[in-house]
Amino acid sequence: MDIKETFEKQISTLKEDNNNVSIIVVGSNKNLDFDKKINDIDLFVITKEGQRQIREIKFVKGIEFDINYFSIDLSNKFIENKKQFFIEGMSKGNLIYDSNDIGKKYMESAKIQYEKGPKKISLEELNSLKFVLFDNIKRIETLKGDNWQEIEFLSNLYLRDIIRAYFVINKKWIPKDKKLFKVLSETDNNLYQMVQKLYINYDTDILKEMINYIFKDIKIDEKIKIIY
């Protein structure tokens, strides 16, 4: 059975369930180019009923089907609250099955919300974020030099948090982890060069420099001023 036949069989199975009203293909293989090798297919399924998101992963004929089910009520909440993975997936997805234009309506609403950008973060939240980032570096500095593997691991872990914070501060959607550095290199070369410098010796001073750089235009509330 080829990829297209495997895909169509799985979609037919989903359509047979009367609770499923819309099916949207999301992710890197949303265009369903069956002429190339496809290892995984991600699906959003809108359902009439249900109180929570349900994720089902199936392996069929060498293809991984990652299926996320969202009820109509939950879809409304995710769009209203600008849940990034949902509105991003919906706004860029490929609608392949729809009952009563329900999926079409949600895709249009998701696109509007996505184009508006993420929710505004308060100054208090920014202050708290900066504190957490600096506090993470303290944990690295408590490690002894012979723990270089842990130092390197934590540095990479907290580096990701710093870059994600950069996108939050600049009111941009946070890229997926696998695209984080690529998008950063296209968005802010100064910060990207700091990342490259960090990889040379994993100096915590570089991490501090990065935090100060991304917060340079943020005025810290004196009542909760961070002392480091």
Side-chain angles (χ1 to χ4, degrees), residues 14-21 48:
L14 289 170
K15 288 180 181 179
E16 290 172 1
D17 188 338
N18 292 328
N19 192 40
N20 299 333
V21 295
K48 295 177 185 175

Side-chain angles (χ1 to χ4, degrees), residues 175-210:
K176 294 180 180 179
D177 284 351
K178 61 184 179 182
K179 295 183 178 180
L180 202 60
F181 295 104
K182 181 179 185 299
V183 176
L184 179 65
S185 68
E186 298 168 350
T187 307
D188 192 312
N189 187 60
N190 289 332
L191 188 57
Y192 182 72
Q193 291 304 318
M194 293 180 198
V195 173
Q196 300 307 305
K197 189 165 61 173
L198 177 70
Y199 288 147
I200 297 174
N201 56 17
Y202 287 96
D203 185 349
T204 53
D205 284 342
I206 299 174
L207 290 172
K208 296 176 192 175
E209 181 185 358
M210 295 175 71

Side-chain angles (χ1 to χ4, degrees), residues 10-173:
Q10 293 304 309
I11 297 303
S12 294
T13 301
L14 289 170
K15 288 180 181 179
E16 290 172 1
D17 188 338
N18 292 328
N19 192 40
N20 299 333
V21 295
S22 296
I23 303 173
I24 301 97
V25 187
V26 299
S28 58
N29 290 315
K30 65 183 178 183
N31 293 325
L32 300 174
D33 184 0
F34 296 115
D35 291 330
K36 69 175 185 179
K37 183 174 177 58
I38 295 178
N39 296 317
D40 58 272
I41 296 177
D42 300 331
L43 302 172
F44 281 3
V45 179
I46 308 299
T47 65
K48 295 177 185 175
E49 300 177 357
Q51 299 299 318
R52 60 188 178 89
Q53 176 187 354
I54 298 176
R55 185 179 185 186
E56 177 185 18
I57 297 179
K58 302 169 64 176
F59 292 89
V60 185
K61 302 292 182 179
I63 303 173
E64 177 185 320
F65 287 88
D66 190 343
I67 309 171
N68 281 275
Y69 298 87
F70 310 92
S71 68
I72 288 175
D73 287 343
L74 189 59
S75 298
N76 288 328
K77 291 178 182 177
F78 278 178
I79 291 175
E80 181 181 353
N81 295 328
K82 290 191 172 184
K83 197 76 170 179
Q84 180 176 345
F85 85 96
F86 184 77
I87 64 172
E88 184 173 3
M90 290 291 287
S91 63
K92 299 179 180 180
N94 179 8
L95 182 64
I96 60 171
Y97 170 71
D98 204 12
S99 176
N100 298 321
D101 288 334
I102 291 175
K104 180 181 178 181
K105 180 187 72 173
Y106 284 131
M107 291 180 74
E108 291 172 349
S109 298
K111 185 176 181 180
I112 291 172
Q113 289 286 61
Y114 186 76
E115 290 178 348
K116 288 180 179 178
K119 292 192 296 184
K120 183 179 179 180
I121 185 169
S122 69
L123 181 58
E124 184 176 356
E125 290 172 312
L126 289 172
N127 287 330
S128 177
L129 177 58
K130 186 173 184 180
F131 174 82
V132 170
L133 294 176
F134 271 124
D135 196 51
N136 286 340
I137 297 176
K138 288 182 181 179
R139 296 176 187 176
I140 299 176
E141 293 178 330
T142 60
L143 299 173
K144 295 181 179 179
D146 55 355
N147 290 327
W148 63 268
Q149 288 181 317
E150 189 173 0
I151 291 173
E152 185 174 321
F153 172 78
L154 289 177
S155 295
N156 282 310
L157 183 66
Y158 298 146
L159 170 63
R160 184 197 63 175
D161 293 339
I162 293 171
I163 296 174
R164 288 168 66 90
Y166 162 80
F167 286 99
V168 170
I169 291 168
N170 288 278
K171 303 178 181 65
K172 300 177 183 293
W173 293 111

